[in-house]
C-alpha cells in the first residue's frame, strides 16, 4: 500500500503538521544509542518491528534508576546495565528494521491496558469520514491490546466512562482527530481509502496516534451494539471496492 505500511513513515508524515504533532509520540528508527537517549528522556519506550503487524515482536522497555527491564509477550527481564539489556533484547529481535517509540502510559480497566481503534474512510462522496470507534482491552499480562493477542473489543463509552465527563464532546474530538489524520496521510499517500488508527489515551486523557493501518481488520466493530456502524463501514468499503 504505497509505502504507508511502516511506522516511521506514518509518524514522519504526521509530524509535519503543527496541529497533529501534539498527538504523535516521538518515533525513531532503532539504534542502540537512540534507545539509550530515549530511555533517558521518557523512561519507558516501545520497540516495534517497523513493518510489523498484529502486535508481533513488540517490546516495552523501561529504565528505573540504574536498572533496566523489558517485557516481550508475558515475560519481563531485569538488568543492571544498558549493555546487558541490549544484549538480551537482540536475541529476540529479527533482522528487519525496528522503531523506538515514546511509551504512552495507557489508561487501564481492572489493571488491563486499553487503547482505541478509530476507523476513518472515504465516504460515497469521496470525503474522509470517521465511521467507527471501538476500544480494545488488552490481555491482563500483555503490553499490547491487539485482538489477535487476546485483546477484547469493548465500547468506548464503557472504557472511558470513569475518566470522561462529557462523553459526546470527547468522542467528537476523537472523530476530528481521525479525520485530520486521514487527510494529512492522504497527502503523503495518495492511494489510501481507509485507515484503522490505533490511538492510545494517557492519564491526562490526551490521545496519541500509535499507528495507522492502511488495511485494517474490521471484525471488532461487529461486536458493537449499534449495528449501523459495521453496516456503514461495509457500505463505504463497497464504494471504493475493497
Ligand atoms: N508507544 C506506545 N505506547 C504504549 N503502548 C503502545 C505503544 N505502541 C504500541 N503500543 C501497544 O501495542 C499495540 C500494538 O502496537 P502497534 O499497533 O504499533 O503495532 P501492531 O499492532 O503490531 O501493528 P498493526 O496494528 O499493523 O497490526 C498497540 O495497540 C498498543 O496497545
Ligand atoms: Mg496495531
Amino acid at each position: 500500500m504505497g509505502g504507508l505500511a511502516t511506522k516511521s513513515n506514518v509518524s514522519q508524515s504526521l509530524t509535519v503538521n503543527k496541529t497533529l504533532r501534539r498527538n504523535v509520540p516521538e518515533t525513531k528508527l532503532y539504534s542502540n544509542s537512540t534507545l539509550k537517549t530515549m530511555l533517558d528522556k521518557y523512561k519507558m519506550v516501545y520497540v516495534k518491528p517497523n513493518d510489523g503487524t498484529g502486535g508481533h515482536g513488540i517490546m516495552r522497555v523501561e529504565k528505573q534508576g540504574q536498572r533496566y527491564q523489558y517485557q516481550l509477550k508475558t515475560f519481563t527481564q531485569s538488568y543492571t546495565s544498558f549493555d546487558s539489556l541490549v544484549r538480551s533484547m537482540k536475541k529476540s529481535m529479527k533482522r528487519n528494521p525496528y522503531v523506538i517509540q515514546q511509551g504512552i502510559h495507557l489508561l487501564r480497566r481492572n489493571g488491563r491496558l486499553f487503547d482505541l481503534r478509530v476507523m476513518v474512510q472515504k465516504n460515497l462522496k469521496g470525503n474522509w469520514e470517521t465511521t467507527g470507534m471501538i476500544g480494545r482491552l488488552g490481555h491482563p499480562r500483555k503490553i499490547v491490546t491487539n485482538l489477535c493477542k487476546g485483546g477484547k473489543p469493548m465500547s468506548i463509552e464503557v472504557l472511558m466512562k470513569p475518566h470522561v465527563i462529557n462523553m459526546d464532546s470527547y468522542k467528537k474530538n476523537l472523530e476530528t482527530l481521525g479525520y485530520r489524520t486521514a487527510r494529512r496521510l492522504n497527502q503523503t499517500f495518495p492511494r489510501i481509502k481507509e485507515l484503522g488508527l490505533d490511538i492510545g489515551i494517557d492519564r491526562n486523557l490526551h490521545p496519541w496516534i500509535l499507528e495507522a493501518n492502511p488495511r485494517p481488520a474490521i471484525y471488532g466493530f461487529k461486536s458493537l451494539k449499534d449495528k449501523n456502524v459495521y453496516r456503514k463501514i461495509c457500505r463505504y468499503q463497497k464504494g471504493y471496492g475493497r
Side-chain angles (χ1 to χ4, degrees), residues 22 48 68 106 150 153 165 220 232:
R22 300 175 49 242
K48 323 192 258 193
Y68 296 88
L106 301 179
I165 298 164
K232 189 193 242 185

Side-chain angles (χ1 to χ4, degrees), residues 7 52-55 58 115 117 136 145-146 196 198 210-213:
K7 300 180 202 304
T53 56
I58 294 180
D115 63 7
R117 169 55 69 90
R136 305 180 303 179
T145 59
N146 304 63
D198 291 335
L210 303 176
E211 207 208 359
N213 301 287

Side-chain angles (χ1 to χ4, degrees), residues 171-201:
K171 282 170 66 180
K172 266 272 168 333
N173 283 336
L174 287 172
E175 282 175 19
T176 307
L177 178 62
Y179 169 82
R180 285 200 184 126
T181 304
R183 297 239 327 190
R184 170 67 205 133
L185 287 176
N186 201 183
Q187 291 177 331
T188 316
F189 309 101
R191 285 165 42 178
I192 54 171
K193 305 281 191 230
E194 60 180 19
L195 286 173
L197 304 175
D198 291 335
I199 296 192
I201 310 293

Side-chain angles (χ1 to χ4, degrees), residues 156-157 160-161 164-172:
I156 294 202
E157 283 81 0
M160 293 303 293
K161 197 171 179 176
V164 168
I165 298 164
N166 189 338
M167 189 66 70
D168 282 343
S169 88
Y170 195 77
K171 282 170 66 180
K172 266 272 168 333

